């Protein structure tokens, strides 16, 4: 009888551990932009709709946006609403706009390109393809998101000089506030496990350093629960 009671308590302990781990490991996500359609304009892929893709998604600090495209399209990130609306990277400021990859019109062959962009600032963030005088951007290759604080930036993405990931308000904005300074730390590394999924649900990922930190926290709970189980028995 005592053995049965012990087994039941141990089973509940394992369930609590699994639930706790699942919540922690699910903290940071990789979002594949456009899912299986990738990052292209409507002239090339008429069915792509980035406003629809963004809908009902929650973006937080430490998440990654994975852009699957080719060398004929660019990936530009900005916190400046005016830059976003103009579909023009040329006059953008260095402290509020980053071109992660640019198109190569001189290339004689088309090849695939994958770019992983970390979300490093809270607030409105805008993405568009800025080449060919804004033609691709004007034909649907753009979207905006709102980044929440969530659990904050993982250590690997923090800049040592930054005490806070929440950006101050900027006077350069349109109908929404913008956040200056996209900072990519020297320790920055792209996610190694990147894949395109037909499902609109994002894939989950977490860095080894974060996992080890989570593991340490979870083990403390394990020891507490074990003490309670064996203490009662």
């Amino acid at each position: 009888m005592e053995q049965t009671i012990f087994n039941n308590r141990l089973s509940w302990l394992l369930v609590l551990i699994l639930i706790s781990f699942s919540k922690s490991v699910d903290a940071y996500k990789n979002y594949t932009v456009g899912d299986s359609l990738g990052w292209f304009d409507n002239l090339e892929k008429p069915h792509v709709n980035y406003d629809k893709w963004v809908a009902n998604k929650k973006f937080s600090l430490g998440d990654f946006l994975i852009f699957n495209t080719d060398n004929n399209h660019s990936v530009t990130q900005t916190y400046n609403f005016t830059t976003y609306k103009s579909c023009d990277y040329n006059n953008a400021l260095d402290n509020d706009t980053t071109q992660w990859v640019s198109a190569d019109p001189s290339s004689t062959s088309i090849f695939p390109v994958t770019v992983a962009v970390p979300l490093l600032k809270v607030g409105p963030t805008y993405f568009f393809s800025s080449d060919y005088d804004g033609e691709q951007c004007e034909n649907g290759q753009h979207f905006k998101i709102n980044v929440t604080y969530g659990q904050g930036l993982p250590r690997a993405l923090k800049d040592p000089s930054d005490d806070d990931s929440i950006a101050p308000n900027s006077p350069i904005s349109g109908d929404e506030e913008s956040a200056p300074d996209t900072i990519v730390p020297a320790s920055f590394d792209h996610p190694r496990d990147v894949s395109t999924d037909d499902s609109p649900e994002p894939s989950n990922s977490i860095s080894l350093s974060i996992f080890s930190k989570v593991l340490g926290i979870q083990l403390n709970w394990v020891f507490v629960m074990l003490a309670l189980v064996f203490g009662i028995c």
Side-chain angles (χ1 to χ4, degrees), residues 104-154:
D104 183 10
S106 64
S107 178
T108 57
S109 60
I110 301 297
F111 54 85
V113 174
T114 294
V115 182
V117 178
L119 301 180
L120 304 177
K121 293 290 184 181
V122 168
T125 304
Y126 311 96
F127 294 90
F128 63 99
S129 182
S130 55
D131 291 302
Y132 301 104
D133 296 325
E135 179 181 291
Q136 294 172 340
C137 173
E138 293 169 358
N139 283 280
Q141 198 171 3
H142 61 84
F143 65 90
K144 59 183 178 180
I145 63 174
N146 185 60
V147 180
T148 63
Y149 186 82
Q151 296 196 10
L153 285 174

Side-chain angles (χ1 to χ4, degrees), residues 14-147:
L14 292 174
V15 169
L16 290 174
I17 292 172
L18 289 173
I19 292 174
S20 184
F21 270 121
S22 66
K23 289 182 178 179
S24 298
V25 174
D26 198 39
Y28 300 101
K29 294 181 173 66
N30 292 343
Y31 291 92
T32 301
V33 176
D35 297 318
S36 61
L37 293 176
W39 177 239
F40 296 94
D41 56 88
N42 292 135
L43 297 178
E44 187 161 342
K45 294 195 175 181
H47 298 295
V48 72
N49 185 328
Y50 296 109
D51 288 337
K52 184 178 180 180
W53 177 80
V54 168
N56 301 321
K57 287 182 173 62
K58 296 181 180 179
F59 303 94
S60 301
L61 291 177
D63 290 345
F64 276 82
L65 299 189
I66 313 301
F67 291 81
N68 291 319
T69 186
D70 60 32
N71 59 320
N72 195 41
H73 296 78
S74 65
V75 177
T76 302
Q77 177 188 23
T78 185
Y79 301 110
N80 190 317
F81 182 77
T82 302
T83 299
Y84 171 69
K85 290 297 289 183
S86 67
C87 292
D88 185 9
Y89 169 75
N90 294 325
N91 296 321
L93 302 176
D94 291 338
N95 70 336
D96 63 21
T97 303
T98 300
Q99 189 173 57
W100 291 90
V101 64
S102 60
D104 183 10
S106 64
S107 178
T108 57
S109 60
I110 301 297
F111 54 85
V113 174
T114 294
V115 182
V117 178
L119 301 180
L120 304 177
K121 293 290 184 181
V122 168
T125 304
Y126 311 96
F127 294 90
F128 63 99
S129 182
S130 55
D131 291 302
Y132 301 104
D133 296 325
E135 179 181 291
Q136 294 172 340
C137 173
E138 293 169 358
N139 283 280
Q141 198 171 3
H142 61 84
F143 65 90
K144 59 183 178 180
I145 63 174
N146 185 60
V147 180

